[in-house]
Amino acid sequence: MNNRIIVIISGVALIIIGVIAAIVNLTDPRNQQANQTGSNDSTNAFLQIDACDILTKKVVVDHFGGTVSGTTPVKAGNSNSNLFVTTCSLTAQSGTGPDKVTKGTALLLARIAKNDIGAGNNQQEFEVNKPPEAVDVDELGDRAYYVPSFNQLNIMNGNNWYILSSYKTSVLDGTLEENQALAQKLRFQ
C-alpha cells in the first residue's frame, strides 16, 4: 500500500512539473510564433533603454515633491535574445527620523524590443494581456490603457511596452489621473 501511494504521488508530481515546464516554455518570448515576422537582424535601429533611464529621480521629485534618498534607484533586469526587460522603483520622501513621510512611489517596467521578434511579441502581448476592465487612454504613446484593479498604466510606444504605476501610500490607491500625469513627464523611447 505504501509503495502504491509513493508511485501515485510521484506520478502527480511529474505531471505538475510537466505542466509548469510547458507554461514556462510557452510564455518564453523566444518561443512565441504568432505575429512575429522578420529576423534577428541586429542591423535594425533598436535601442536598449533601462527603465531607470526613463523614470528618473528628477521626474519623481518633480511629481511627488520631497527627495529620493540614496544614490541608485532600486532596479532589476532580465534579458533574452529578443527582449530587454528592466524595472525601476523610486520613492520620494520628506522629513527625517520619526518625522519622515513618504510622498509617493513610482514603478516602471520596460519591455524593450531588441529586434523584430521582440517587437512582435510586445505588440501581441500588449493586446492579449489587456483585461476587459481596462480603460483606453488617449495621448500617451501609440496606444495606452489603464487597469484599475492593478493600478497599472500600460503604454505601447513604437516597439516597446511600458507598465507604469504610481501611488501615495498603497500600490492600489493610485488613480488613472495620477498615473497619467506622471506618464506625461516621462520620455518613452
Side-chain angles (χ1 to χ4, degrees), residues 7 17 21 26 57 62 65 91 110 114 179 181:
V7 170
I17 290 171
L26 289 173
K57 288 181 182 182
D62 289 348
T91 299
K114 291 180 166 182
N179 280 288

Side-chain angles (χ1 to χ4, degrees), residues 42-102:
S42 61
T43 61
N44 292 334
F46 291 96
L47 302 173
Q48 284 195 30
I49 306 291
D50 188 283
C52 290
D53 294 335
I54 297 168
L55 181 66
T56 64
K57 288 181 182 182
K58 181 181 181 335
V59 169
V60 171
V61 167
D62 289 348
H63 185 71
F64 292 114
T67 60
V68 175
S69 61
T71 56
T72 312
V74 176
K75 65 181 181 177
N78 192 4
S79 185
N80 64 34
S81 60
N82 303 316
L83 290 170
F84 180 61
V85 181
T86 61
T87 58
C88 187
S89 174
L90 295 169
T91 299
Q93 300 174 327
S94 65
T96 58
D99 296 328
K100 191 177 237 181
V101 175
T102 298

